[in-house]
Amino acid sequence: MTRPWLRWLPAAMVPVALAAAALAGSYQAGAATSLPHKTAAEVIAMIGRSEVRALSGTLQQNSELGLPQLPSTGPAATQGPASVIELLSGSHTARVYVDGPSKARFQVMDMLAERDLVRNGNDLWLYNSADNSAAHMTLPAEPATGSPAPHATPTPGMATPDVVAQHFLAAVEPSTEVSVGDGTTVAGRTAYQLVIKPRSTGTLVDSVTIAVDSASGLPLGVDVRARGQAAAAFSLAFTDVNLSAPDAGLFSFTPPRGAAVEEKATPQLRALPGKTGQAPQTKAAAGRPTITGSGWDAVISLPAGTVPTDVRATPMFAQLTQAVPGGRALTTSLVSVLMLDDGRVFAGMVPLERLQAAAAPQ
Amino acid sequence: MTATPEDRPSSSWSLMASELSVLFRRLRTWAMLLALAAIPILIAAAVKLSSHPVAPGRGPPFLDRITQNGLFVGVTALVVSVPLFLPLTIGVVAGDTIAGEANLGTLRYLLVAPAGRVRLLLIKYTAAAVFCLAATLTVAAAGALAGVVLFPVGPVTLLSGDTIGVGESVARSLLIAAYVAVSLLGLSAIGLAISTFTDIPVGAMAATIVLSVVSQVADNLPQLEWLHPWLFSHYWLGFADLLRQPISWVSFGNNALLQAGYILAAWALAYGKFTSKDVLS
């Protein structure tokens, strides 16, 4: 033992080497890559031309919406309307299997539990392992065009994707800046980044980034950033993806023995108004909603009586909203909703003050 | 004792065998394994004797499935024992490795060979790792036995809602036991490292167990989210991924990688301390 300090060398070196290896690994994951240059229109057309019919992959979702923390475990958290809120907040990992337009399986992997959505032809099964319950629905024979996959493939109709892309860009141009950012790597595949930036400063949305696979045109991830927040308000991306057809056995689902099975009525095929991000707010649009403003800082207002009053009685409502003069408000980093005591509801991707201004009698 | 190249492997093997026989002939080891085996038996008996059916979503995960299928007893018992009971026994065995010998005054006899220190660490750690596997298998096997005796056995419902046969479910139970055993290897290495720093075995045991609790508490604090993937207990309950259809191997791989990192770091520390230590007792 001529040099005792030499024996301590591994103890000092190993943690450094491990940290370096871990850091190198994470750098590689999001490494910028150089891809042949493409314009925004070309990237959008690429999404339209995408011919991905089958895939299996893992999705990772993270939200920093600024919603109050709801209990994320226990049976109450994954049932009813709470499950929608639960899915929108926090982090989730889900596996997706798609084979053609009529076969899909979506698995939300919870801690020691799982929620499944299986579609095989006209059969739609929902299964929740936390309470061992299943629900079955028969879809109408003529299914809606929207594929149940997380990426909504635009229906090109008669126009070619290039034309649609041009039209889309021309339509959004006054309010939105669409550009192509640096190439990136998502789920081990090189991808273009389509950056959508509102021109208005009145909206809460800072930018929306869509990663588009450079080889197949499949959207691999979406990142929504809010103004004044470092972390992405909402991000959904593949951590691994495989474009070959998954095992056919995955799509045949029979409810397990002992499970509580519920037969649900066929859902009414009614076009849901509003953007996808506002689905929970615009669901009960029986009255005529009016939209004030345009583009990103538009405010949608629902007249009294459109939102059922019993929503206000649920404990979750009290937990999620805060009292403001004249009603209650839900504020997140991307969307604000103002529910007045007289029944009117205002919502938009704008700060709460703008909703209050819109609600004030002119 | 001058070790020639020819006789060294055989003497290593015989040392290994004697170490294992010492470990598994100790009353303490058997007491711990019996206590672990009691957990699934207690769960199964409690569910069997209770007059109320277990409501889904109440109590530990999978508890409500036990009445339908006895094979879930082992899984429920593992979920219950992973946070505390298994780390407790691992802490006792791993913390005792070097400090126990030092405390008994037998360490210097084990170290008469000039290159013996690394080999001794290796033998001690292997014995602790064997105990990890034995402890996990004890819980799983006792659970399977209690389940088969007290409840009907049939096709098993996975988390995904798919059903698998009894044969495959036994294979998956063994996989889960392997997962849990791998999960505990990092903690064993930490216990070994701590054990080289003290001559008081109880101190090393307590420190190891406390570390496992601290790691799990930190894993539940949302403020320390950046730290979570680095905590050795982070994937401890991830074995549920083996109950999905198809099996998700991601957490198995991540867990193995994380444990390997902890084993390397703890080993480096144990090597530094133990090879430069003045062994007086």
Side-chain angles (χ1 to χ4, degrees):
Chain A
M1 265 185 240
T2 43
R3 289 184 199 147
W5 62 268
L6 263 179
R7 302 184 185 280
W8 284 100
L9 209 58
M13 299 294 285
V14 167
V16 173
L18 288 176
L23 279 179
S26 65
Y27 264 118
Q28 222 165 17
T33 46
S34 57
L35 290 164
H37 178 77
K38 278 202 171 159
T39 65
E42 283 170 326
V43 174
I44 296 172
M46 232 169 77
I47 303 176
R49 265 199 302 272
S50 173
E51 277 174 1
V52 176
R53 310 283 291 160
L55 66 89
S56 48
T58 310
L59 281 167
Q60 175 72 41
Q61 175 242 318
N62 284 303
S63 302
E64 294 275 346
L65 287 171
L67 281 173
Q69 198 88 74
L70 289 173
S72 61
T73 50
T78 52
Q79 283 168 359
S83 69
V84 177
I85 306 284
E86 199 271 333
L87 279 177
L88 282 175
S89 58
S91 319
H92 293 92
T93 309
R95 290 192 293 185
V96 193
Y97 302 92
V98 179
D99 192 359
S102 64
K103 280 186 181 177
R105 184 163 190 162
F106 189 70
Q107 304 179 312
V108 181
M109 306 212 278
D110 299 314
M111 186 75 163
L112 297 172
E114 187 171 306
R115 282 168 278 172
D116 271 58
L117 190 142
V118 189
R119 182 182 170 186
N120 194 351
N122 294 336
D123 286 319
L124 186 71
W125 281 99
L126 285 159
Y127 178 74
N128 187 349
S129 85
D131 54 1
N132 197 17
S133 69
H136 178 251
M137 243 179 270
T138 311
L139 297 174
E142 214 77 38
T145 40
S147 102
H151 60 97
T153 330
T155 32
M158 293 305 287
T160 66
D162 304 81
V163 177
V164 174
Q166 296 290 353
H167 278 302
F168 171 76
L169 275 181
V172 301
E173 182 61 26
S175 64
T176 315
E177 186 189 324
V178 182
S179 59
V180 176
D182 293 330
T184 185
T185 313
V186 180
R189 303 175 75 94
T190 54
Y192 288 100
Q193 286 197 94
L194 195 64
V195 184
I196 299 164
K197 229 174 153 57
R199 290 192 202 277
S200 151
T201 51
T203 173
L204 290 168
V205 180
D206 178 62
S207 68
V208 179
T209 309
I210 302 169
V212 181
D213 185 19
S214 62
S216 68
L218 175 75
L220 293 175
V222 61
D223 227 18
V224 186
R225 293 189 172 270
R227 230 168 257 282
Q229 185 176 309
F234 181 85
S235 70
L236 178 71
F238 280 106
T239 51
D240 74 87
V241 64
N242 182 355
L243 298 184
S244 55
D247 178 21
L250 277 172
F251 304 112
S252 59
F253 184 86
T254 34
R257 212 162 50 95
V261 182
E262 191 189 347
E263 189 69 36
K264 290 206 172 173
T266 305
Q268 292 294 310
L269 270 188
R270 187 177 52 187
L272 289 175
K275 298 189 184 73
T276 46
Q278 291 180 332
Q281 286 86 41
T282 53
K283 203 161 61 179
R288 264 193 104 59
T290 49
I291 294 170
T292 44
S294 66
W296 293 88
D297 35 5
V299 173
I300 180 165
S301 63
L302 305 173
T306 43
V307 174
T309 41
D310 57 336
V311 168
R312 288 168 179 254
T314 59
M316 199 183 69
F317 179 79
Q319 245 182 317
L320 282 173
T321 57
Q322 66 198 53
V324 290
R328 296 191 71 86
L330 169 75
T331 50
T332 71
S333 51
L334 288 176
V335 179
S336 304
V337 183
L338 174 66
M339 277 155 277
L340 294 175
D341 290 335
D342 60 14
R344 288 182 299 155
V345 176
F346 292 84
M349 294 185 287
V350 290
L352 182 61
E353 295 77 51
R354 269 212 45 144
L355 294 182
Q356 285 170 319
Q362 261 95 58
Chain B
M1 186 174 107
T2 48
T4 56
E6 292 91 76
D7 69 13
R8 202 183 258 155
S10 68
S11 72
S12 279
W13 283 117
S14 63
L15 262 176
M16 187 70 245
S18 82
E19 179 64 35
L20 281 176
S21 77
V22 166
L23 176 66
F24 284 100
R25 249 189 265 153
R26 282 185 98 148
L27 191 61
R28 191 180 68 192
T29 310
W30 282 103
M32 288 194 298
L33 290 179
L34 276 177
L36 285 174
I39 296 169
I41 295 169
L42 194 70
I43 292 173
V47 171
K48 182 78 183 174
L49 296 177
S50 155
S51 49
H52 305 288
V54 185
R58 290 294 181 103
F62 312 117
L63 194 63
D64 58 301
R65 308 286 176 84
I66 289 177
T67 46
Q68 297 160 20
N69 198 326
L71 291 173
F72 270 106
V73 176
V75 178
T76 310
L78 278 176
V79 174
V80 170
S81 47
V82 157
L84 185 63
F85 299 114
L86 281 171
L88 211 66
T89 55
I90 303 306
V92 168
V93 170
D96 192 51
T97 43
I98 303 296
E101 301 281 1
N103 191 43
L104 288 173
T106 43
L107 190 53
R108 58 186 151 156
Y109 299 114
L110 289 169
L111 291 177
V112 274
R117 293 193 178 197
V118 175
R119 192 172 64 173
L120 183 67
L121 274 181
L122 209 66
I123 285 169
K124 287 288 184 185
Y125 183 67
T126 312
V130 169
F131 180 79
C132 285
L133 192 64
T136 320
L137 283 177
T138 302
V139 177
L145 270 179
V148 166
V149 170
L150 292 175
F151 299 102
V153 169
V156 169
T157 304
L158 297 171
L159 289 176
S160 309
D162 300 69
T163 309
I164 54 169
V166 174
E168 196 187 340
S169 74
V170 170
R172 293 219 188 187
S173 300
L174 287 176
L175 265 180
I176 290 174
Y179 183 103
V180 176
V182 168
S183 300
L184 296 168
L185 288 180
L187 183 66
S188 305
I190 292 169
L192 178 81
I194 294 174
S195 190
T196 58
F197 279 84
T198 175
D199 288 353
I200 304 151
V202 176
M205 293 174 194
T208 311
I209 295 161
V210 165
L211 266 181
S212 86
V213 174
V214 167
S215 170
Q216 290 179 80
V217 169
D219 206 13
N220 276 315
L221 291 177
Q223 285 78 8
L224 295 176
E225 211 173 349
W226 54 272
L227 189 66
H228 289 176
W230 298 91
L231 294 168
F232 60 84
S233 64
H234 185 63
Y235 297 104
W236 275 7
L237 288 176
F239 59 78
D241 284 0
L242 299 173
L243 289 174
R244 303 186 198 278
Q245 184 74 355
I247 291 180
S248 164
W249 292 101
V250 178
S251 53
F252 202 113
N254 285 346
N255 182 40
L257 209 62
L258 181 73
Q259 301 301 329
Y262 269 97
I263 291 169
L264 272 179
W267 256 90
L269 204 62
Y271 170 83
K273 177 64 194 175
F274 196 52
T275 51
S276 58
K277 184 179 185 170
D278 289 327
V279 175
L280 301 170
S281 55

